[in-house]
Amino acid sequence: MFLIILLVLLLFVSILTLLSLPYVFPEGILRPVRRLVVAFDLLTAAGLVLGPMVFRGASLVDGTAAILLRIASVGLVVQVLFAVLTGGFFLWQKLAGLRGNVPYNRDRRRVLRRAAAVPVLALAGGLYGGLYEKSALVEREYFVPIQNLPNDLRGLRIAQLSDVHLGWFFSLDDLRALLERTAQGAPDVLMITGDLFDDETLNEKAVGLVDSYADRFPLGIWFCYGNHEHRRNFEALDAMLDGTRIHKLVNASTIVQDGTRPLVFAGVDYPFAHGDEAFQAKKKELADAAFQNVPKEAVTILLAHHPEFIDDGAARGAALVLTGHTHGCQFGLFGHPLLPVFKYNRGIVKIGETMGYVHSGNGSWFPYRIGCPPEIAYFTLRRA
């Protein structure tokens, strides 16, 4: 089903690009450009269909499969940008009072002169997001105001990583560099909100690598599962984690620091359920289990992969809910997602006295980001 969706999307983008070409390119080079677009899209479609068979079991980051996927993703985005820019140019032309909306007319020279930047901008945007921003890690700092926060919890510093998607586009060396940079920010604890272990052939080494950083975070490393871990030999991965210092939070909670207001870390699994009613019921079931033993007066931090658990955390009095899953939608403009397909897509969500956060992710399954770089998010507790 997913493959069919990708092929339909590719067909739509290809048609849109072919329809846009005559408004930018003159007749002399229009035909070879059309052939190039068609050839590229046919090869991409063939790769989507045959790739899983040819590269079955491949896991080498920066290997042939990864390079071809990067080229295909950049090419797809270049076509989308080309069509969008052409449409924007055409709209501007209309608003400017020009009437050269047919490829062949007396204003043709004028149209071409002003449209010459379209393919250049589309190519620049495609290369920027595919070669630079997808790896341009940023650090973000946030304060979490909490009523009646006890003195021993003031200044507690939390780091969050999410959606690494270890595999073709994120290597073990990349993971090591990410963990090292996170540790250099001197947080007290590291929270990882799922979709980290995403390649069966690399998972064992990745588990060992993450475990080796446990001493760099005084309160340890805490982890909740995402949907992708469940697709990567989950039973074996779960057993690997049992033998490490990585704290799994699977519909459970732990009192990390006792006191007048204990510090509690809670976590939920991914809510696999179809249909809104079943999904909401499953979320409630998992959240109820996670909060079952949480003291009423606790300062609770909830880890969840799916961002809608922000609602469940707020309903149960969590001070902070850390989530991921959306990758920030990977396409943004001025800090806002361009494709907001989730209830909560990116950044801070405030519900009453609860602060929720949707992490933009550190990796991706589609190797392209623009206006939405990968991030390390730091949160410092302070008294409201």
Side-chain angles (χ1 to χ4, degrees):
M1 183 62 184
F2 184 64
L3 176 60
I4 294 175
I5 293 174
L6 286 178
L7 291 173
V8 170
L9 175 63
L10 178 61
L11 177 62
F12 175 76
V13 170
S14 183
I15 291 173
L16 202 59
T17 303
L18 292 173
L19 291 175
S20 303
L21 291 177
Y23 297 98
V24 175
F25 292 99
E27 183 64 28
I29 60 173
L30 178 60
R31 185 171 298 176
V33 172
R34 274 177 173 161
R35 288 174 177 171
L36 179 63
V37 170
V38 171
F40 182 89
D41 290 343
L42 286 176
L43 286 172
T44 301
L48 289 172
V49 175
L50 302 176
M53 293 180 283
V54 175
F55 297 105
R56 181 170 296 170
S59 63
L60 295 177
V61 179
D62 293 326
T64 304
I67 292 172
L68 291 175
L69 282 170
R70 284 193 181 101
I71 293 172
S73 65
V74 169
L76 178 66
V77 173
V78 167
Q79 291 183 62
V80 172
L81 290 175
F82 179 86
V84 170
L85 289 169
T86 301
F89 169 80
F90 224 56
L91 179 61
W92 172 83
Q93 176 180 277
K94 285 289 190 181
L95 294 176
L98 299 177
R99 293 294 179 263
N101 61 334
V102 178
Y104 309 98
N105 56 71
R106 63 184 181 181
D107 290 323
R108 182 62 173 166
R109 292 181 179 275
R110 209 171 169 190
V111 169
L112 283 173
R113 194 162 55 242
R114 294 177 179 178
V118 170
V120 175
L121 291 173
L123 182 60
L127 293 175
Y128 169 81
L131 300 181
Y132 173 72
E133 189 174 307
K134 71 178 183 61
S135 303
L137 184 68
V138 299
E139 298 179 19
R140 294 193 169 97
E141 298 274 358
Y142 300 97
F143 289 101
V144 184
I146 301 175
Q147 295 286 344
N148 303 315
L149 183 69
N151 291 335
D152 57 344
L153 294 182
R154 290 188 188 182
L156 181 75
R157 184 168 163 83
I158 301 160
Q160 183 194 7
L161 303 176
S162 193
D163 298 271
V164 168
H165 290 284
L166 189 72
W168 277 351
F169 307 119
F170 210 102
S171 69
L172 289 170
D173 287 339
D174 293 332
L175 178 58
R176 182 178 291 104
L178 176 63
L179 291 168
E180 183 62 34
R181 183 164 169 180
T182 304
Q184 288 174 3
D188 297 291
V189 60
L190 172 60
M191 307 289 204
I192 304 175
T193 47
D195 280 6
L196 165 59
F197 306 104
D198 203 11
D199 189 319
E200 289 181 41
T201 65
L202 299 178
N203 283 350
E204 185 174 2
K205 291 180 180 179
V207 167
L209 176 58
V210 176
D211 181 48
S212 71
Y213 274 81
D215 292 333
R216 303 285 296 275
F217 306 96
L219 294 181
I221 298 175
W222 299 75
F223 172 76
C224 71
Y225 285 119
N227 52 313
H228 276 247
E229 276 92 11
H230 284 274
R231 300 170 181 168
R232 301 290 183 256
N233 196 354
F234 178 76
E235 291 75 14
L237 175 60
D238 196 54
M240 290 176 202
L241 290 170
D242 283 337
T244 70
R245 293 169 294 173
I246 303 169
H247 303 281
K248 291 184 302 181
L249 288 169
V250 186
N251 311 321
S253 64
T254 299
I255 296 178
V256 179
Q257 193 169 307
D258 219 336
T260 55
R261 294 194 67 187
L263 175 66
V264 173
F265 295 160
V268 290
D269 202 351
Y270 189 83
F272 289 98
H274 298 288
D276 185 64
E277 187 174 341
F279 178 74
Q280 296 299 330
K282 188 64 177 179
K283 280 201 307 113
K284 182 180 184 304
E285 174 192 331
L286 301 183
D288 285 343
F291 278 83
Q292 184 175 4
N293 298 314
V294 174
K296 185 177 181 181
E297 69 279 7
V299 176
T300 305
I301 298 171
L302 175 64
L303 276 69
H305 187 62
H306 200 288
E308 286 194 35
F309 272 109
I310 293 173
D311 294 333
D312 301 271
R316 292 161 180 79
L320 177 64
V321 183
L322 300 178
T323 72
H325 190 50
T326 70
H327 300 193
C329 297
Q330 292 192 205
F331 294 81
L333 185 65
F334 304 121
H336 299 283
L338 287 177
L339 304 170
V341 297
F342 295 89
K343 181 177 181 180
Y344 305 124
N345 294 277
R346 177 180 177 184
I348 293 175
V349 179
K350 288 289 290 182
I351 302 178
E353 294 185 0
T354 297
M355 177 175 167
Y357 192 75
V358 185
H359 197 280
S360 291
N362 296 103
S364 60
W365 57 266
F366 182 74
Y368 188 95
R369 286 175 178 267
I370 189 165
C372 185
E375 66 177 348
I376 303 172
Y378 294 102
F379 305 87
T380 301
L381 306 189
R382 70 178 182 184
R383 179 172 288 185

